[in-house]
Amino acid sequence: MIAKLKGQYGSGIHEASTYLGQNYMIVESAMIPEILQILRDEEQFDYCVDITTMHYPEQEKQFEIVWILYSFARNERIRVKTAIADGEEIPSAVPLWPAANWLEREVYDMFGIRFQGHPDMKRILLPDGWKGHPLRKDYGIIQQDRDWVQINLGIESGQ
């Protein structure tokens, strides 16, 4: 499957391999919607297990987004990765897998990445007025929204 997709999309798939028995692909961000659609429709990856992100602030494209997909028919997982710059958006996978809704909201909440076409792009874990995105490496481990804590809880932050 990986070889077929690499042959079909060439340089748009930067890397495709298997690590510890699981296939993965590193894909050009512009190709993500098409690759995810093919994996769902033609390769039977009918379950979006997770969408997650890693932050590498020293790189030009600071964020690596990872879709972890599963095929019940094949009993197989695949990871699809892409890199985007800070402030860049990526198309939503909600039209393909409705369960991606909350996964994308979590990525937005924790990293600040917006998904184009998402039906309800808002925070899911933190309150609406929270400032910043705590899983970004530039957030600072001690940093928290002192104003929000003061206004909403009426106490001084313990940090």
Side-chain angles (χ1 to χ4, degrees), residues 4-154:
K4 178 179 100 175
L5 288 170
K6 189 144 173 73
Q8 188 175 351
Y9 290 98
S11 63
I13 297 177
H14 299 293
E15 185 179 339
S17 191
T18 300
Y19 180 72
L20 297 176
Q22 286 191 18
N23 291 326
Y24 73 89
M25 291 187 290
I26 301 174
V27 177
E28 185 63 42
S29 63
M31 294 181 56
I32 284 294
E34 187 174 354
I35 293 291
L36 294 179
Q37 180 95 44
I38 286 170
L39 288 172
R40 188 196 68 175
D41 295 348
E42 296 177 20
E43 301 297 337
Q44 299 179 300
F45 285 91
D46 44 7
Y47 176 41
C48 181
V49 176
D50 200 6
I51 302 170
T52 191
T53 301
M54 281 75 67
H55 184 212
Y56 303 103
E58 69 283 352
Q59 295 179 7
E60 182 180 340
K61 292 188 174 186
Q62 295 184 19
F63 297 99
E64 183 177 89
I65 304 171
V66 182
W67 291 262
I68 302 169
L69 308 176
Y70 181 74
S71 168
F72 287 99
R74 301 163 70 127
N75 188 27
E76 183 179 333
R77 289 181 193 267
I78 189 168
R79 297 174 196 275
V80 180
K81 304 177 183 184
T82 195
I84 64 169
D86 192 12
E88 188 177 339
E89 293 186 358
I90 193 87
S92 176
V94 171
L96 299 173
W97 299 283
N101 186 320
W102 286 15
L103 302 171
E104 290 177 356
R105 285 179 59 194
E106 183 178 0
V107 168
Y108 165 69
D109 201 0
M110 297 291 106
F111 293 95
I113 295 169
R114 294 190 162 274
F115 291 83
Q116 295 169 335
H118 189 281
D120 192 21
M121 187 91 289
K122 64 181 184 181
R123 290 190 181 273
I124 191 169
L125 299 173
L126 295 170
D128 290 337
W130 196 266
K131 294 178 187 165
H133 304 283
L135 292 183
R136 290 176 63 124
K137 290 184 181 174
D138 56 4
Y139 187 74
I141 197 147
I142 302 299
Q143 179 183 352
Q144 67 174 300
D145 192 332
R146 295 176 195 268
D147 293 338
W148 188 93
V149 170
Q150 177 65 45
I151 292 166
N152 293 284
L153 301 179

